[in-house]
Amino acid sequence: MSAPERIPPRSVTDDPNPAELLARGELTVRGRIREASNAALFCTVSLDGRKASCVYKPVAGERPLWDFPDGTLAGREVAAYEVSEATGWGLVPPTVLRDGPYGEGMCQLWIDVHAEAELLALVDAEEPEPGWKGIGFAEVGEGRTALLVHADDERLRRLAVLDAVINNADRKGGHLLPTADGRLYGIDHGVTFNVENKLRTLLWGWAGEPLTPDAVGALKGLRDALDGQLGDRLAGLITAAETDATRARVDALLTAGRHPEPGGDWPAIPWPPV
């Protein structure tokens, strides 16, 4: 994403407690992120000499959706962060629910993107090259098709597991933020945690493959956390039925021991893919 009046951001590791800074700091709106589907404001947040750039999405700026209750997207964004933290993978930027200039909303640390990192590509081939995973064929104009691929990257693989847990209905390429220090973050988690299967993602390259030991360990820890403090935190962000459905998805992944495969009741790939 892009923002007006760019302010040099602090990285996640620059501040000892970015979540506290986001929750308690003074929020100042600098501009609007125009390409966002809901109201998304580029801001700075400051507290006791500490300062960071962030994104603020007020609940009042959320567009109604037919399959998600009104006014719930901000809470889902925070819930996605909480689940990500419980895995130990840190795949979602620090995110909190707080009051702001336009009422309650989601506030998330701004992440600078390393533009040279290539995670997705369209290739004129029938099969992906080594180091890439095939997603499917896409029309590219004039009756031509190209193979859509994503990198065979452990960071993306972890994100694919997280998306399966939170039932992410919109994992697009523009929601993947690689950084100069080698980290990868996923953003825009407003359409998550539905009780019905709505997984729609570009990260199908591992569909049906066995989960890695790393993923199995993270899922086991997540299952325990959902029955403890994580479950308590989610209670203020999503419904009890949605939390129960999250537990069921974790159990299903552990029982199957494999990455999920696309179902037939819901479009498997978001469009446009970016």
Side-chain angles (χ1 to χ4, degrees):
M1 54 186 158
S2 60
E5 193 181 334
R6 289 304 309 275
I7 297 171
R10 300 167 67 92
S11 72
V12 174
T13 56
D14 281 340
D15 194 279
N17 192 344
E20 179 202 34
L21 175 60
L22 292 170
R24 297 183 51 229
E26 181 180 358
L27 199 60
T28 302
V29 176
R30 301 294 183 180
R32 181 169 183 172
I33 302 169
R34 297 187 180 278
E35 59 265 40
S37 57
N38 295 290
L41 304 174
F42 179 67
C43 303
T44 54
V45 60
S46 57
L47 177 69
D48 299 331
R50 300 148 59 193
K51 190 173 184 178
S53 301
C54 60
V55 177
Y56 161 55
K57 297 182 181 179
V59 172
E62 295 179 3
R63 295 181 180 180
L65 298 173
W66 67 270
D67 52 349
F68 286 85
D70 293 350
T72 66
L73 305 191
R76 296 173 194 277
E77 295 242 32
V78 181
Y81 165 69
E82 294 287 355
V83 172
S84 169
E85 288 298 285
T87 65
W89 288 338
L91 294 169
V92 179
T95 312
V96 302
L97 197 64
R98 61 161 293 168
D99 194 30
Y102 298 101
E104 185 180 59
M106 178 277 279
C107 189
Q108 184 176 82
L109 193 70
W110 178 270
I111 301 296
D112 249 12
V113 177
H114 183 48
E116 295 181 2
E118 189 174 22
L119 299 173
L120 297 165
L122 281 168
V123 297
D124 187 13
E126 295 295 320
E127 297 290 338
E129 295 182 356
W132 294 86
K133 289 284 190 177
I135 306 168
F137 289 93
E139 294 185 8
V140 293
E142 299 180 356
R144 294 177 55 248
T145 61
L147 180 63
L148 182 62
V149 298
H150 66 67
D152 188 2
D153 186 308
E154 182 60 27
R155 300 170 303 171
L156 287 179
R157 190 165 191 169
R158 286 177 167 183
L159 195 58
V161 174
L162 176 66
D163 283 343
V165 169
I166 66 177
N167 198 16
N168 192 350
D170 194 32
R171 173 62 71 206
K172 296 180 179 179
H175 302 165
L176 305 174
L177 306 185
T179 65
D181 63 0
R183 297 194 65 170
L184 176 71
Y185 296 95
I187 60 168
D188 286 351
H189 297 110
V191 286
T192 51
F193 295 101
N194 202 300
V195 296
E196 299 179 5
N197 179 24
K198 292 185 178 290
L199 182 59
R200 188 168 62 169
T201 174
L202 289 177
L203 304 180
W204 287 116
W206 299 280
E209 292 187 14
L211 296 170
T212 64
D214 171 58
V216 171
L219 289 169
K220 288 180 177 178
L222 183 56
R223 183 173 58 186
D224 293 340
L226 283 165
D227 291 329
Q229 293 184 354
L230 175 61
D232 294 338
R233 291 195 295 273
L234 293 182
L237 301 168
I238 58 177
T239 68
E242 289 166 341
T243 300
D244 288 342
T246 303
R247 289 192 186 93
R249 288 190 294 270
V250 172
D251 287 339
L253 285 166
L254 286 169
T255 298
R258 295 180 177 274
H259 287 266
E261 298 184 75
D265 299 331
W266 181 253
I269 298 175
W271 198 262
V274 295

